[in-house]
Amino acid sequence: MHDLIARAARDLAGTHNAVALTGAGISIESGIPPFRGPGGLWEKIDPMEVAHIDALRRDPHKVWERLIQGMLKVLAKAAPNAAHRGLAALEDLGQLEAVITQNVDGLHQQAGSRDVIEFHGSFAWQRCMTCERRRPSETLDLAVIPPRCECGGILRPDCVFFGEMIPPEHLARAQQLSAGCQVMLTVGTSATVHPAAMLPLIAREAGARVIEINPEPTPLTARTSDYLIPGPAAQVVGDLAAAVAALRTPPA
Ligand code: OAD
């Protein structure tokens, strides 16, 4: 693994416009369970019953009770790990242009990343399903669910449910960054949910090097990605950022 981290550090040190695509795996070591795989959320609850926009419209109380409330509690306790901090450090070093994240946890921004595209929106904000007014999730009173807006409408997280479109400005910028980067790092994503899963393909077809960081192979492995660094995000990205910083520091 050491050799692969050194290789990725050399690939990154030679670029100024790398892009990271992150998924739930980067936040596992922050205490947030993933969606798929062992301990995944979709093992316990059926996403079509609680994470589809039709389910939210049909029975908001059930979706709040079975999905949103629990996620808000887990997210409130989570803090960034070495992988989030490593990506922020790579941005500071001038190597990484932006992070495109499928996560709704806000941990990249908490770690200091400045240019973050929240591809699937965010749980930090709620939006009224009637008047569209937004308010921070931390101001919610959850004594009665679903919580309501001043207008009487039902509040929902400002994120993308299954069956909803990716906000067009996020989709356009993510596609543009993917088509223009020299290196794409994919970190902790199963690369199974579209259109996010298309982004590494766009990068690859435009000539970028695609480097995967994941303890397990994914559909990208050996097809779209140039190589997989098999390991947990906190260790790999933390070591990678340190290795890039060392390459950038001239010997004394
Ligand atoms: P998944 O839960 O599908 O995949 C998590 C990935 O993290 C898997 O490939 C794991 O092998 C990997 N993993 C596990 N432990 C890890 C670690 N310590 N470090 C790094 N990687 C690790 O999560 P996503 O790919 O983000 O969408 O899922 C994509 C979308 O599916 C989510 O944004 C969400 C979900 O349904 C919506 O809700 C719209």
Side-chain angles (χ1 to χ4, degrees):
M1 191 163 85
H2 239 79
D3 289 353
L4 288 171
I5 291 175
R7 179 177 172 190
R10 285 193 301 275
D11 285 340
L12 276 171
T15 170
H16 293 287
N17 69 351
V19 169
L21 171 68
T22 67
I26 197 171
S27 295
I28 289 176
E29 292 159 275
S30 292
I32 304 174
F35 296 100
R36 297 173 186 79
L41 199 55
W42 301 155
E43 242 180 19
K44 301 187 190 86
I45 46 180
D46 177 354
M48 289 308 124
E49 266 184 42
V50 292
H52 197 284
I53 186 60
D54 293 343
L56 180 67
R57 290 198 186 113
R58 201 168 43 239
D59 192 346
H61 182 270
K62 177 174 160 189
V63 173
W64 266 93
E65 190 176 46
R66 297 197 47 204
L67 178 74
I68 304 172
Q69 216 176 10
M71 274 182 76
L72 281 171
K73 276 191 197 142
V74 170
L75 299 188
K77 283 191 254 159
N81 66 52
H84 301 101
R85 290 193 294 275
L87 293 181
L90 288 171
E91 187 181 4
D92 284 344
L93 285 167
Q95 249 75 43
L96 190 76
E97 187 173 353
V99 175
I100 304 165
T101 188
Q102 297 164 84
N103 300 343
V104 294
D105 55 31
L107 294 183
H108 287 297
Q109 294 91 327
Q110 282 185 45
S113 284
R114 292 178 300 274
D115 196 346
V116 181
I117 296 151
E118 292 181 308
F119 201 74
H120 289 161
S122 166
F123 256 56
W125 289 85
Q126 301 290 321
R127 191 170 83 228
C128 175
M129 291 172 72
T130 304
C131 76
E132 297 276 311
R133 194 172 343 170
R134 292 165 84 240
R135 65 188 265 185
S137 296
E138 62 199 17
T139 65
L140 283 183
D141 177 4
L142 292 179
V144 178
I145 56 166
R148 289 187 180 264
C149 174
E150 288 85 345
C151 81
I154 289 170
L155 292 168
R156 55 159 289 180
D158 199 10
C159 67
V160 176
F161 277 70
F162 284 111
E164 290 190 297
M165 304 279 285
I166 305 298
E169 67 280 12
H170 291 174
L171 182 60
R173 176 125 200 274
Q175 287 172 334
Q176 178 210 340
L177 284 164
S178 303
C181 68
Q182 288 172 288
V183 173
M184 175 175 277
L185 289 178
T186 72
V187 188
T189 178
S190 62
T192 48
V193 174
H194 288 270
M198 288 294 294
L199 299 172
L201 206 68
I202 292 174
R204 171 79 189 206
E205 281 177 357
R209 188 151 293 179
V210 178
I211 305 169
E212 256 194 294
I213 297 169
N214 197 314
E216 306 289 338
T218 76
L220 300 176
T221 313
R223 272 185 253 171
T224 305
S225 64
D226 288 82
Y227 52 99
L228 166 75
I229 308 181
Q235 186 197 345
V236 174
V237 182
D239 288 356
L240 179 58
V244 173
L247 282 179
R248 292 275 313 270
T249 311

